[in-house]
Amino acid sequence: MKKSSSESKLVISQVMMPSQANVAGNIHGGEIIKLMDSTAYAAARRFARSNVVTARVDELEFHLPILIGDLVICTAQVVYAGRSSMEVAVTVEVEDLECEGRNKALSAFFTMVSLDKKGRPNILPELVIETSEEEAAFEEGKKRYEAHKLKRTSK
């Protein structure tokens, strides 16, 4: 079976509430990471059509504060797929609903593993690349995958 990267693309949006913030009105980083993980999960599951689990998250760096009342838009898409693991690019944009425009708040790569009903690694569909941007993202994902694999085996 083959699937395109674009078939996995998913967007989840949420308005940030006071219960998600500290006393200064800044949203807790963990709330954003949880939303990112949920979005990565849904995109990966859409691609794999099986249960998936988070195996790794690349570095997260917040570029701007996210405040109560902001609309957070998480976009996720599978950019690399191996035998049973895949890399999902997740981008977070923030929109002040009283102003025009969005700003990029952060992004990360989530490595997700496809599992069968017995909890063992499950073979993924082949990732079909349709654009030059997808090709570049695939090659970068492959490099990260190979670097992480080398790091694991050298321990």
Side-chain angles (χ1 to χ4, degrees):
M1 178 185 285
K2 296 180 180 185
K3 287 194 176 178
S4 68
S5 177
S6 60
E7 288 179 82
S8 72
K9 188 172 184 178
L10 186 86
V11 179
I12 295 178
S13 301
Q14 184 177 347
V15 174
M16 297 292 102
M17 298 297 188
S19 64
Q20 298 170 296
N22 63 24
V23 295
N26 293 327
I27 302 304
H28 294 291
E31 295 283 346
I32 303 304
I33 295 166
K34 181 180 177 185
L35 185 59
M36 292 175 78
D37 191 42
S38 295
T39 309
Y41 168 85
R45 185 155 184 155
R46 175 184 272 175
F47 180 78
R49 295 296 177 192
S50 69
N51 188 31
V52 296
V53 294
T54 305
R56 177 176 168 38
V57 180
D58 278 5
E59 182 177 304
L60 294 166
E61 183 179 340
F62 288 80
H63 302 295
L64 51 93
I66 299 172
L67 307 172
I68 294 170
D70 284 347
L71 178 66
V72 172
I73 304 111
C74 280
T75 304
Q77 185 168 347
V78 174
V79 294
Y80 173 77
R83 181 175 156 75
S84 62
S85 66
M86 67 201 100
E87 187 176 81
V88 181
V90 181
T91 302
V92 177
E93 294 177 301
V94 64
E95 180 179 338
D96 177 344
L97 293 173
E98 294 179 1
C99 303
E100 290 291 324
R102 296 178 181 178
N103 293 306
K104 183 176 175 182
L106 69 152
S107 61
F109 294 100
F110 284 67
T111 300
M112 310 297 282
V113 178
S114 173
L115 301 175
D116 66 16
K117 294 196 184 298
K118 294 182 180 179
R120 295 184 305 235
N122 192 43
I123 296 175
L124 291 170
E126 181 183 337
L127 182 64
V128 176
I129 305 300
E130 298 174 316
T131 67
S132 58
E133 292 85 9
E134 288 177 359
E135 177 68 29
F138 179 87
E139 290 303 323
E140 289 298 316
K142 185 176 181 180
K143 286 178 190 175
R144 281 187 295 273
Y145 172 79
E146 290 170 353
H148 295 310
K149 187 174 180 179
L150 183 62
K151 187 177 177 182
R152 276 194 322 266
T153 57
S154 66
K155 286 184 178 181

